Amino acid sequence: MQQLFDAAMFGSTLRIMTPILLAALGGALCSRVGLFNVGLEGLVLIGAFSAIVGNYLFGNVLLAVLFSIIIVMLFSALFAFISINLKANAIVVGISLNFLAAGLTTFALRAIFDVKGAYYDKDMVGLPKWDIPLIQDIPWVGTVFSGHSPLVYLGIIIVIALQFYLFKSVSGFRLRSVGENPIAAQSIGIKVRGIQYGAVLMCGVLCALAGAQLSLGQVTMFTEGMTAGRGFIALVATMLGQANPLGVMGSSVLFGFMEALSIRLQGFSLPTHFTMMLPYIVTLVAMFFFKDRTYAQDALKAGGSSR
């Protein structure tokens, strides 16, 4: 048991949960403005691919992340325009975005890199690993919290910042009012569409960071469909955490821990296909027990709450 739940596994949990956390925070912002964004999976996938393309084009990790943010924001703007201006059902638009991302990244992988399935370059440099002074020398604690990419620490900072913004700032109250009652918010002069666009674009930024963490922070390569359902797990984390940043972080840690556990169990001669099911089993169980929560019901009214 001690070999199973050691410091290295908890360190892996922190690293693995970061893409889920960042995407789930983006989904939380969309939920707060009345848009149920099912397209998180597609946005993260586009972010992962565009980060690799940016690194290939510019040879710089920072520029690669910025390139990924710009590309994903364009797709987020497309989602916002169709959902808000054209008044299409946000769930249908999100599902379409997922299919678009899957097909587009597969096509672009062959068009740009002339490869099928995956792209890897041994000379490509991924995100750096930061060793935190003093903390890295503390037994167990240093193994868990030190030696991660900057996006892991940025994710934690964003959680704290969003918690303060949503519940302690005036603009945060306005954003929440748009999702709770857009007609009342508009009647007192709040620019509903502007706030919705801002939330969706910020969701794109967070999904781009999630994708960059996947392709540059963990493996430094891109494979077709490498998100492997993490965007959908992030969607569940959003609902499980009630679109509250701290709650979203808690649920993301749960899913990250289960995925890290499934990887660790593969070293104990358990069938790979069985261990790979664990994160998704937990997702289904979480949906069953929290099916009556408020933000789970938002999926049913997403078509009308954002108008």
Side-chain angles (χ1 to χ4, degrees):
M1 187 64 68
Q2 187 175 0
Q3 294 179 346
L4 182 61
F5 299 104
D6 59 2
M9 201 195 82
F10 287 99
S12 297
T13 298
L14 195 62
R15 182 174 61 256
I16 291 172
M17 71 99 179
T18 299
I20 299 174
L21 172 63
L22 291 169
L25 290 174
L29 281 175
C30 289
S31 293
R32 287 291 179 180
V33 297
L35 289 169
F36 194 75
N37 193 347
V38 189
L40 298 180
E41 175 82 359
L43 292 176
V44 175
L45 184 60
I46 293 171
F49 179 75
S50 55
I52 291 292
V53 174
N55 204 341
Y56 171 78
L57 294 176
F58 306 112
N60 183 283
V61 176
L62 178 59
L63 292 178
V65 174
L66 293 176
F67 180 77
S68 176
I69 290 174
I70 293 172
I71 296 299
V72 178
M73 285 182 69
L74 292 176
F75 283 90
S76 296
L78 177 64
F79 171 85
F81 177 76
I82 297 175
S83 300
I84 300 171
N85 291 75
L86 301 185
K87 302 186 183 301
N89 187 289
I91 296 177
V92 176
V93 178
I95 294 174
S96 302
L97 185 60
N98 290 334
F99 283 112
L100 174 63
L104 186 60
T105 52
T106 299
F107 171 77
L109 184 65
R110 301 179 185 182
I112 297 174
F113 301 112
D114 196 24
V115 295
K116 298 180 180 180
Y119 172 76
Y120 171 74
D121 184 356
K122 60 182 178 61
D123 297 323
M124 182 174 290
V125 179
L127 290 168
K129 302 296 186 292
W130 284 0
D131 292 319
I132 305 177
L134 301 179
I135 292 181
Q136 64 177 334
D137 299 324
I138 303 176
W140 197 89
V141 175
T143 305
V144 174
F145 295 102
S146 184
H148 299 291
S149 74
L151 294 183
V152 173
Y153 305 113
L154 180 62
I156 298 174
I157 295 174
I158 291 175
V159 169
I160 299 173
L162 275 182
Q163 185 73 20
F164 177 84
Y165 172 76
L166 288 176
F167 300 102
K168 298 295 182 180
S169 68
V170 175
S171 58
F173 283 119
R174 290 175 179 170
L175 184 145
R176 288 162 52 200
S177 69
V178 167
E180 293 171 4
N181 197 324
I183 297 177
Q186 192 169 15
S187 68
I188 59 174
I190 295 176
K191 297 180 179 179
V192 173
R193 284 191 176 183
I195 291 178
Q196 287 179 328
Y197 264 93
V200 174
L201 291 177
M202 188 61 196
C203 174
V205 173
L206 293 172
C207 287
L209 295 177
Q213 171 63 18
L214 268 181
S215 60
L216 293 179
Q218 295 185 4
V219 293
T220 318
M221 64 179 296
F222 178 83
T223 59
E224 293 181 11
M226 72 180 301
T227 47
R230 288 180 178 85
F232 296 113
I233 294 178
L235 196 63
V236 177
T238 298
M239 294 185 289
L240 190 59
Q242 292 295 281
N244 183 302
L246 292 179
V248 167
M249 183 173 183
S251 54
S252 299
V253 169
L254 171 63
F255 294 127
F257 174 78
M258 294 308 301
E259 186 171 347
L261 179 61
S262 71
I263 295 173
R264 179 58 62 89
L265 288 175
Q266 294 176 19
F268 288 83
S269 301
L270 290 176
T272 303
H273 296 292
F274 171 76
T275 59
M276 291 176 64
M277 290 191 305
L278 287 179
Y280 307 103
I281 291 174
V282 173
T283 302
L284 291 174
V285 171
M287 287 299 296
F288 176 78
F289 283 104
F290 292 87
K291 62 182 183 299
D292 295 327
R293 289 296 187 92
T294 303
Y295 278 91
Q297 298 171 355
D298 282 354
L300 301 177
K301 61 180 182 179
S305 61
S306 61
R307 306 297 170 248

